[in-house]
Amino acid sequence: MNVIESCGLAKRYGRTWALRDCSLTIPAGHVVALVGPNGAGKTTLLNMAAGLLRPTAGQIRVLGGERPGSDAARPRIGFVAQDAPLYGHLPARDMLRLAATLNLTWDNVRALARLADLGIPLDRKVRQLSGGQRAQLALTIALAKRPEVLILDEPLATLDPLARHDFMGSLMAAVAEDGLSVVFSSHVVSELERIADYLVVLNSGRPQLVGEVDALLAVHRILTGPGDEMAVDPQRLVVVNARRAGTQTHLLVRTPAAGDPDPAGWLSARAGLEDLVLAYLRDPGASVLPGPAMRTPVVQA
Amino acid sequence: MTAIAPPADCHQPQPGPAWAWWRRLAWVPWRQHRSALAWVLLGFALAAAAMALIPVNAGGNWFPGGFPDQTLTRVVLMLQLLPVLTALFLGVPLVAREAESGTLALAWTQGTGRARWLLVQAVPLAVLPALAAAGLGAELSWWLGPAGWRARAWDPAQLSLNPLPFAGWVVLAFSIGLALGAVIRRTVPAIAATIACYGVMLLVVEGWKSKLLVNLHLYEVAAPHGVTARYLAFQSVEFGGLIAVSVLLTAVTVIVIRRRDA
């Protein structure tokens, strides 16, 4: 089953295209990081998947063919919007009860146990909770409906490092417990490797890099050497991004297949997820998408 | 891992028949809007107290075409403002305030759909002030006394303040506020638009009624008998019309919020 699949998806606000020609498939069973610079269309895409926005053009389906926001989709998707909106004037207890009332499936025992574990006082008004506590409360609410998919829009943005660590910890625990799929957006690219096993890089409203993290890392390498990027055989390696530092050139290259031999005269190193994401974001023309696009570099002379 | 039992007062929903879910949902408007509801009902209560405490000599001072009693004019104006109060405190904020605070993204991604979410809140929040309005309408006839009431029975403004039509006006004002709040999505402009729309509706309907009353020569036949079948029919038609417009407006609001982006 695909958690999200879109075809030619586009969204326009006035004269600005937030998302354009976005065709994308995100399979279930992953923790998917949706990364990209501000204004790349991450929030638009996730809000469309949650059924809050309608596409200007194209199509989006969730949970293997359901229309986002439909009666079939809503109960099965836990969604936390950007800045985790909650009713600030309600005590946490009533916020929880309100969400419980608005859902047919609801695991109250677990929700309360989670909040007790986190030490979130039920009597305190939501607006008096710390940012980390609010994020955890929003996550608890999204998890309590026992969704198949959890969609989180910039869950880490407003959290301090400690709260961020705790939040990811409890998210990972929930994933391990329920086996749910997670799609979360982030413009923070560090720390992603520990969390995500599937990556979607969105740039200027288009998907640029889509795939499982391990597979993507296996076909990318950082080459360091005295030459310039022209010295690399373009038939065999695709230079995603080149950077000069003194006499040395650092290249992030894509190889035709994992385990491909390194070119002579270059020092080869494994690329981290952060290197990969940054290299692609610096060069909006480069892209790796599942399907035919993945195979284009494999042209042996 | 310690076992944590849920507190007794915490709510554990059970799957059940559809009506049970509706009943359970009734807690939502209560928790979300109870303070606004309290302010509105306080407005109604103050109006009721004002009538109970201030005497009026309506029967003696009023005659067709003559000067209405000043106290009466003020009370009528005060009563006509109560539907606006309902619209501004309960109708407009229902969608507009959540749009402003960003909580629509929370409310509209839960298991309950947008239409059900809207109706489960709108219906009780319109009906409760409408019941209060009906009570005030009954108090008005008591306040005017039999003679005073008969003297003004066919006056277009007073006709609208009978229990049924007055309740209808409260529901209509609420629906106007709800619709404009859902379309404009910002509380302050929606409040201004609601006041304008309610004012125009009031003027238009009063105008129609005056014409109709003159055409039917109802002024003449009215006075001596008090409540007649014809009088009740006239009120029922006004009430029915107002409710029909309200239902239509709310149906349009549901369509709008289902189609539009959050």
Side-chain angles (χ1 to χ4, degrees), chain A:
Chain A
M1 187 185 76
N2 290 324
V3 169
I4 298 174
E5 50 194 29
S6 72
C7 181
L9 190 65
K11 181 71 187 177
R12 192 183 57 196
Y13 299 106
R15 285 188 193 159
T16 324
W17 290 90
L19 210 61
R20 217 166 187 179
D21 195 23
C22 176
S23 299
L24 187 71
T25 303
I26 298 178
H30 290 286
V31 176
V32 183
L34 177 63
V35 300
N38 291 326
K42 304 187 294 289
T43 296
T44 302
L45 178 63
L46 294 186
N47 280 342
M48 277 205 239
L52 290 170
L53 302 179
R54 301 178 145 247
T56 308
Q59 227 192 22
I60 179 166
R61 290 290 178 266
V62 291
L63 297 162
E66 301 293 349
R67 205 169 46 78
S70 64
D71 289 344
R74 254 183 293 103
R76 296 161 64 196
I77 294 180
F79 177 66
V80 180
Q82 200 160 14
D83 303 327
L86 295 167
Y87 296 110
H89 63 285
L90 297 183
R93 182 194 309 278
D94 285 354
M95 182 63 245
L96 207 61
R97 181 173 168 188
L98 191 82
T101 309
L102 291 172
N103 284 289
L104 267 183
T105 51
W106 187 262
D107 191 340
N108 209 43
V109 174
R110 199 166 69 148
L112 288 170
R114 255 187 69 88
L115 294 183
D117 279 349
L118 295 162
I120 294 176
L122 291 176
D123 298 329
R124 191 163 303 168
K125 285 195 174 171
V126 169
R127 74 161 80 90
Q128 289 162 353
L129 296 174
S130 72
Q133 286 176 323
R134 272 202 301 275
Q136 290 282 15
L137 179 58
L139 178 65
T140 303
I141 287 169
L143 285 172
K145 66 196 260 196
R146 287 212 169 271
E148 293 167 43
V149 182
L150 197 57
I151 298 179
L152 311 169
D153 191 4
E154 295 281 2
L156 307 174
T158 57
L159 303 183
D160 63 56
L162 185 62
R164 187 175 290 187
H165 187 265
D166 291 348
F167 184 90
M168 290 323 297
S170 47
L171 179 62
M172 289 303 117
V175 170
E177 212 172 306
D178 291 2
L180 44 70
S181 308
V182 180
V183 181
F184 73 98
S185 69
S186 178
H187 63 256
V188 184
V189 286
S190 57
E191 301 178 46
L192 283 187
E193 215 163 343
R194 284 194 299 117
I195 308 158
D197 62 357
Y198 200 95
L199 181 73
V200 176
V201 176
L202 211 58
N203 206 352
S204 313
R206 287 189 178 89
Q208 198 186 0
L209 185 63
V210 179
E212 287 188 40
V213 170
D214 288 343
L216 289 173
L217 291 180
V219 296
H220 287 85
R221 227 160 289 171
I222 293 174
L223 300 180
T224 307
D228 63 12
E229 67 257 42
M230 303 311 279
V232 178
D233 179 4
Q235 293 290 303
R236 222 168 59 73
L237 296 174
V238 175
V239 176
V240 177
N241 183 256
R243 215 153 37 82
R244 282 201 154 275
T247 57
Q248 297 284 65
T249 302
H250 301 271
L251 304 178
L252 191 128
V253 297
R254 185 164 73 232
T255 61
D260 203 61
D262 294 316
W266 293 84
L267 209 67
S268 172
R270 178 187 172 276
L273 195 56
E274 192 175 352
D275 304 318
L276 198 65
V277 170
L278 291 177
Y280 275 89
L281 289 182
R282 285 203 181 97
D283 184 1
S287 72
V288 178
L289 301 170
M294 202 71 168
R295 283 192 297 274
T296 29
V298 197
V299 185
Q300 293 280 0

Side-chain angles (χ1 to χ4, degrees), chain B residues 55-68:
Chain B
V56 70
N57 189 13
N61 284 4
W62 194 88
F63 54 94
F67 295 107

